[in-house]
Amino acid sequence: MTLEHDAVRETLIDATIALMDEGGLPAVKARPLAQAVGVSVGTIYNLFGNVDGLVLAANQRIYADLNAVGQANIMPIEERLAQRIAQGVVADTARDRVRERLLGLSEVYIDFVAANASRWSAVLAFDRNRSTAGTPEGYVEQLDAMIDIIGRVLESAPRCAAITVRQQTARALWSSVHGIVTLTYFSGDAATARERTWALITILVGAVTDGLFAE
């Protein structure tokens, strides 16, 4: 009995992410993947073009997982914000609300990276620009969806009233936080990775928020 076409694709993606978890991007090779799933190496090339195409599909799944986690945490972030305002820990101003929401999303991102360090390091190690595989359908949309979450937080910032500016600011924030995680979380002492990363993100978000509400 053979698996259906879509089931084989999904099983190969599952196996790719499992190998990422075991050994990062260097562990993702055609023959071990084919053996793990019980298909021929040629099946990988028929379905994904090459191994790069399969890695891109796995990365897309990981981005989708991060996006889902971000969406799922919007309400908890709002509940925590309301609680901190009620406790007097956070001032009830538009600027402080934006800052706290951005910090909340950043914390969700760091938690995701901490829980999925090997697969996320594999995502970071893959050079999509050098890949010979075409970008999978929906890949860019997954990235845009994550940035849109940030954009919705910025709607109350005076300097982000124009949608173009808001989108650019959201993309710049995502790129900056992503860069901090890339350069800081995965370098130096692993025991202090989160603390060091969080310190830099706090500075970044505070400075950006102050700038967005500057008169």
Side-chain angles (χ1 to χ4, degrees):
M1 177 178 171
T2 59
L3 295 171
E4 295 294 332
H5 175 92
D6 289 344
V8 173
R9 279 185 59 89
E10 293 305 308
T11 305
L12 280 167
I13 293 171
D14 289 340
T16 300
I17 294 174
L19 286 179
M20 288 176 172
D21 287 340
E22 291 176 9
L25 188 60
V28 180
K29 299 183 184 302
R31 192 166 300 280
L33 280 167
Q35 290 175 344
V37 177
V39 298
S40 68
V41 171
T43 300
I44 294 174
Y45 288 84
N46 288 335
L47 292 177
F48 297 96
N50 53 34
V51 176
D52 278 0
L54 178 51
V55 171
L56 278 169
N59 288 355
Q60 182 177 1
R61 168 89 68 78
I62 295 167
Y63 280 130
D65 290 343
L66 174 58
N67 188 23
V69 170
Q71 295 284 359
N73 275 276
I74 290 174
M75 187 59 66
I77 288 171
E78 288 300 312
E79 291 171 351
R80 182 185 177 194
L81 172 59
Q83 183 180 45
R84 286 168 63 84
I85 290 174
Q87 293 170 341
V89 178
V90 175
D92 190 10
T93 65
R95 180 180 64 181
D96 286 350
R97 287 194 297 272
V98 167
R99 185 186 66 238
E100 289 297 307
R101 287 167 180 146
L102 291 175
L103 287 173
L105 289 173
S106 298
E107 190 168 21
V108 169
Y109 179 30
I110 294 177
D111 286 344
F112 181 87
V113 171
N116 302 279
S118 292
R119 69 180 65 174
W120 194 248
S121 67
V123 171
L124 299 177
F126 184 75
D127 188 347
R128 184 160 59 96
N129 293 323
R130 293 182 60 182
S131 170
T132 58
T135 302
E137 182 179 354
Y139 190 96
V140 174
E141 287 76 8
Q142 283 293 343
L143 295 175
D144 288 343
M146 292 188 294
I147 293 168
D148 285 344
I149 296 175
I150 301 171
R152 291 196 294 273
V153 171
L154 298 175
E155 288 179 355
S156 59
R159 293 181 181 271
C160 289
I163 187 170
T164 302
V165 175
R166 187 161 64 248
Q167 290 172 338
Q168 290 173 338
T169 304
R171 190 170 294 277
L173 264 170
W174 161 252
S175 299
S176 299
V177 171
H178 186 63
I180 289 173
V181 170
T182 302
L183 296 174
T184 307
Y185 192 91
F186 292 103
S187 64
D189 184 5
T192 62
R194 182 188 179 89
E195 179 183 353
R196 289 181 286 107
T197 303
W198 183 247
L200 295 179
I201 289 175
T202 301
I203 292 170
L204 170 70
V205 170
V208 169
T209 306
D210 287 345
L212 292 175
F213 284 86
E215 297 181 357

